[in-house]
Amino acid sequence: MTDVVHNLRNPLFALGGYMELLESQMDQPTAEQQKYVGLIEDKLAYVNRMVDDMLLANRLEHGKIRFHFIRLELSAFLRSIVMGNKRLEQCGQVHISCPELYLAADSFRLHQALDNLLDNAVIHGGCTSMEITAYQKE
């Protein structure tokens, strides 16, 4: 799996470089050109993410992932994820309903998982609005 990921990353990295070069040579891109450049960048990011997920799944299967648990406040954590997720800009409204909850979690891995869920909701759900709810199960 590591070899497959490595063999996919090289051409993806090159494509990203070519896109940057193309963008730098476009003095005043039209709205249509900007649209297509944005679509290409989104697709490149999506494929890169799939490649990263393949490597992550392989590492998880072989016990090569180490978790670093910290105490975090979930509501603030969710807000930071929503604010940093570019794909959510496609949704009209995003509401977070979460009381003050503290948990022990690996913030990087939890962020990664929630970002994946949010991206998939937008990509596959035709997002016009989104409600993110968290609560403590009794």
Side-chain angles (χ1 to χ4, degrees):
M1 181 65 75
T2 304
D3 289 341
V4 170
V5 168
H6 177 74
N7 288 329
L8 287 171
R9 278 198 172 146
N10 285 337
L12 289 171
F13 182 74
L15 287 170
Y18 294 141
M19 268 309 301
E20 286 181 23
L21 181 62
L22 180 63
E23 281 182 286
S24 71
Q25 293 178 355
M26 294 170 46
D27 290 332
Q28 294 183 348
T30 66
E32 186 176 25
Q33 288 171 326
Q34 289 175 342
K35 173 186 164 188
Y36 288 120
V37 165
L39 288 171
I40 292 168
E41 288 173 341
D42 285 349
K43 295 299 179 190
L44 271 173
Y46 181 73
V47 173
N48 272 311
R49 187 173 202 147
M50 286 192 310
V51 169
D52 289 343
D53 288 349
M54 288 169 45
L55 186 58
L56 177 62
N58 187 50
R59 287 180 177 161
L60 281 169
E61 282 180 13
H62 293 92
K64 294 182 179 179
I65 297 283
R66 292 203 177 141
F67 294 98
H68 305 283
F69 291 94
I70 62 166
R71 185 173 189 253
L72 58 88
E73 199 279 311
L74 188 57
S75 180
F77 185 73
L78 289 173
R79 282 193 306 275
S80 72
I81 291 171
V82 167
M83 300 249 328
N85 188 302
K86 185 175 179 174
R87 224 178 263 291
L88 286 178
E89 293 172 0
Q90 298 174 26
C91 289
Q93 297 276 340
V94 178
H95 298 281
I96 299 172
S97 174
C98 179
E100 187 174 304
L101 294 173
Y102 290 88
L103 64 140
D106 182 313
S107 64
F108 176 79
R109 297 296 176 200
L110 183 57
H111 187 286
Q112 194 175 28
L114 292 173
D115 237 5
N116 257 340
L117 287 171
L118 294 173
D119 284 353
N120 285 336
V122 173
I123 292 167
H124 303 291
C127 185
T128 56
S129 67
M130 184 178 293
E131 177 75 32
I132 302 169
T133 304
Y135 56 91
Q136 184 170 346
K137 190 172 180 178
E138 302 284 330

